Amino acid sequence: MEPVIRPAVRAILMTPDERVLLMRFQFRWRTKIVWLTPGGGLNPGESAEQALVRELREETGLEISHDAISSELWHRRHCFDLGGRAVDQRERYFLVPVETFTPAPTALDAGEEADSFAGFEWWPIGEIPEKSNLFSPRGLGRHLRELLASGAPDEPRPIEI
């Protein structure tokens, strides 16, 4: 069976003191927890920016405008099983500078997302490992340190799973 192609967006919510907001998930099909950036799939007819604004409101309670989205940083393909269907997710990562806030989900998707969600944490970038399968993408720490050292890329660049 051909995988379903799912366009998706992710937010790097970064504070001035170099912390990022990550969501903790404990999926029933995975033995370890995983830390993810907020985001999700695009609805039909929705732009990436519209989806990001919606996803941040639903997953974190953060209300932003399109103007708050700084730049597109990275993109990646991530294949996985979702409810018995193969999914080929095409993710785009955007930088969203923010002040620290207390996140609270307002509309997690019923089912696996809501059942697996286990909380939020503002992670200092220096404490995120260079590479770890407890984070998605696995190289999140390295990518964030490169972002701090070099700034946002002129063009979004590909990153690994």
Side-chain angles (χ1 to χ4, degrees):
M1 181 181 291
E2 285 293 311
V4 173
I5 295 174
R6 182 180 190 236
V9 291
R10 297 251 165 231
I12 302 297
L13 297 174
M14 186 182 301
T15 63
D17 62 347
E18 300 177 352
R19 293 180 302 142
V20 294
L21 183 66
L22 298 179
M23 301 175 72
R24 180 181 178 192
F25 286 91
Q26 177 62 66
F27 297 108
R28 63 180 171 267
W29 46 267
R30 185 180 162 104
T31 58
K32 296 182 180 180
I33 61 104
V34 64
W35 292 96
L36 303 171
T37 58
L42 277 67
N43 290 331
E46 198 173 41
S47 72
E49 292 78 8
Q50 290 168 327
L52 195 63
V53 167
R54 177 185 50 77
E55 285 288 340
L56 288 174
R57 182 180 58 253
E58 292 174 356
E59 291 189 347
T60 70
L62 180 64
E63 294 282 349
I64 65 166
S65 70
H66 296 94
D67 297 341
I69 301 169
S70 175
S71 57
E72 186 172 352
L73 303 171
W74 315 310
H75 57 88
R76 77 172 185 151
R77 288 179 69 179
H78 177 55
C79 297
F80 58 96
D81 181 78
L82 182 64
R85 297 234 28 200
V87 175
D88 180 357
Q89 186 156 288
R90 314 277 174 94
E91 295 179 336
R92 296 168 64 187
Y93 286 77
F94 293 84
L95 177 62
V96 181
V98 295
E99 295 295 330
T100 303
F101 65 96
T102 302
T106 63
L108 292 178
D109 289 339
E112 188 162 14
E113 182 180 49
D115 293 345
S116 302
F117 175 69
F120 294 101
E121 187 168 328
W122 286 101
W123 278 81
I125 290 173
E127 293 181 16
I128 299 172
E130 288 284 314
K131 192 168 189 175
S132 169
N133 63 1
L134 297 180
F135 294 83
S136 181
R138 291 182 191 124
L140 182 61
R142 180 171 47 84
H143 300 307
L144 290 170
R145 284 189 258 303
E146 288 173 2
L147 175 63
L148 290 177
S150 304
D154 293 334
E155 295 288 326
R157 64 179 185 81
I159 57 172
E160 77 282 350
I161 292 174

